[in-house]
Amino acid sequence: MKSSRLVSILLLLQTRGLMTAARLAEELEVSVRTVYRDIEALSAAGVPLYGDAGHAGGYRLLDGYRTRLTGLTADEAEALFLAGAPGPAAQLGLSSVLAAAQLKVRAALPAELRPHADRISGRFHLDAPGWYAAADATPYLPDVADAVWNCRALHVLYRRWREPTDVERHLEPYGLVLKAGRWYVVAGPGPRTYRVDQILRLTSLEERFTRPDDFDLAGYWAAYQRDFHDRLRPVRAVVRLAPGVSLPGPGQTDAHLEEDGWTRTTVPIESLDHAHAEFLRLGTGIEVLEPPELRDRIARTAAQLAERYGNPRTPAGDRPLRRPRRSAHPA
């Protein structure tokens, strides 16, 4: 809608300053001609904006001009308050800042939208960590966040999983990522990914670095996850699943229904040890066909279980008392 687009232009100019018509068109996914018409409409409505011609030109708002958030829809107001995760904000030392920001945004909302913001806060709560996982101790998280924000280099003692375990690293932190309750810092050179809870010692340096203009944190993380899963699951297993039985997770291929009602499919596995434990959970609902070493291992485990449970133990209270053995050489 045109009204929504006009508000978007105002907010873009208010937050980013000077912007060309081409850049505005790219952000709004419209033509440059449409941007020209919208700029004329805003000027006619009394919005104090002006354009600079030339190579370094563009449109900007008059210094000091600010617009209220009257362009927000109900859905946008709800999404804004849903995005405020109190747990991660507290870990970063920003809980009071987040609360103050939400209070200011709520005060700036039109009266008819305030109930929507209150309702979303009362009905949805974001809890990032998974069950049965102890919270990671991240004493250096605020320091890392400060380095990310101020483009300040760090010298850290870092513990990795392979030898040598404790290594010193010079980091240029580009961004922080919260994944399943665990904080990661993406840092140059490289860039590479580090777990914040594995930083054993940290020194904030006076050295500043320049964050690459073309670095996209979300894009990097998506590629990192794809590469991680490709490296994590290089082996595939061929299995048959009983009717109604399914395996969690993506990556299943070549699934087809067989005559007996079972489904034959190919699934990625992390390792033989992990697959052995996970497939045994399904009991008789799964048959492993390949790889042969995994099938043989599960068969041996099944045989051991059958032998163990095929010979039930006699309860201790029902066992006959043994007579004391007589000594061959009486005292």
Side-chain angles (χ1 to χ4, degrees):
M1 295 178 60
K2 181 178 180 180
S3 59
S4 174
R5 195 170 62 246
L6 294 179
V7 172
S8 296
I9 291 177
L10 277 176
L11 294 176
L12 283 169
L13 294 177
Q14 181 174 307
T15 55
R16 301 189 186 180
L18 184 70
M19 293 186 69
T20 64
R23 182 59 178 161
L24 285 168
E26 181 182 350
E27 288 283 347
L28 301 172
E29 298 183 349
V30 296
S31 66
V32 174
R33 185 181 298 273
T34 298
V35 171
Y36 288 149
R37 289 197 298 264
D38 290 343
I39 291 294
E40 292 178 358
L42 288 170
S43 298
V47 176
L49 56 81
Y50 59 92
D52 293 327
H55 176 72
Y59 294 102
R60 71 168 66 242
L61 291 169
L62 187 67
D63 290 343
Y65 178 81
R66 290 292 182 269
T67 180
R68 289 172 58 84
L69 300 177
T70 53
L72 281 176
T73 66
D75 289 341
E76 291 168 343
E78 291 177 354
L80 181 62
F81 275 77
L82 182 61
Q91 288 181 300
L92 291 170
L94 298 175
S95 56
S96 60
V97 178
L98 175 63
Q102 289 183 333
L103 182 62
K104 291 178 181 178
V105 170
R106 187 183 184 281
L109 288 174
E112 64 272 15
L113 294 186
R114 291 174 189 168
H116 291 274
D118 294 337
R119 183 172 60 185
I120 203 74
S121 299
R123 297 190 183 184
F124 293 91
H125 176 70
L126 303 181
D127 185 14
W131 291 104
Y132 310 114
D136 295 325
T138 53
Y140 296 112
L141 179 60
D143 299 291
V144 175
D146 180 74
V148 168
W149 185 253
N150 294 297
C151 294
R152 190 184 299 275
L154 299 172
H155 185 82
V156 302
L157 179 65
Y158 185 77
R159 174 162 293 168
R160 58 182 186 174
W161 64 271
R162 62 178 183 272
E163 296 289 342
T165 55
D166 295 354
V167 294
E168 295 188 9
R169 289 287 184 264
H170 181 275
L171 304 183
E172 297 177 352
Y174 297 161
L176 278 166
V177 176
L178 178 63
K179 172 69 173 179
R182 179 169 289 160
W183 287 97
Y184 298 85
V185 57
V186 179
R192 299 181 64 182
T193 304
Y194 302 87
R195 280 176 50 175
V196 177
D197 66 301
Q198 295 303 304
I199 295 177
L200 306 179
R201 188 173 64 242
L202 178 146
T203 302
S204 181
L205 306 177
E206 293 299 325
E207 174 189 345
R208 303 274 182 160
F209 65 89
T210 301
R211 192 174 186 268
D213 293 334
D214 59 350
F215 178 74
D216 177 14
L217 181 60
Y220 167 86
W221 187 255
Y224 173 79
Q225 288 191 98
R226 288 193 299 268
D227 180 65
F228 175 79
H229 286 292
D230 289 343
R231 288 185 285 107
L232 187 62
R233 299 188 173 186
V235 182
R236 292 184 174 271
V238 180
V239 301
R240 296 177 74 242
L241 300 174
V245 176
S246 61
L247 288 171
Q252 298 184 38
T253 58
D254 305 326
H256 65 274
L257 188 65
E258 298 188 329
E259 293 183 358
D260 59 357
W262 284 52
T263 300
R264 182 187 178 115
T265 184
T266 302
V267 296
I269 58 176
E270 296 182 13
S271 64
L272 295 182
D273 289 341
H274 184 267
H276 174 262
E278 291 299 313
F279 290 165
L280 281 177
R281 296 174 186 269
L282 299 178
T284 58
I286 187 173
E287 178 187 0
V288 177
L289 304 178
E290 299 177 12
E293 55 268 37
L294 178 59
R295 179 182 176 89
D296 292 343
R297 183 170 175 180
I298 291 181
R300 289 196 302 270
T301 301
Q304 293 170 359
L305 290 173
E307 180 181 0
R308 178 171 301 170
Y309 289 97
N311 300 307
R313 295 184 176 183
T314 303
D318 297 337
R319 295 176 187 171
L321 295 176
R322 294 183 179 180
R323 294 183 178 180
R325 183 177 299 175
R326 293 182 178 179
S327 173
H329 304 282

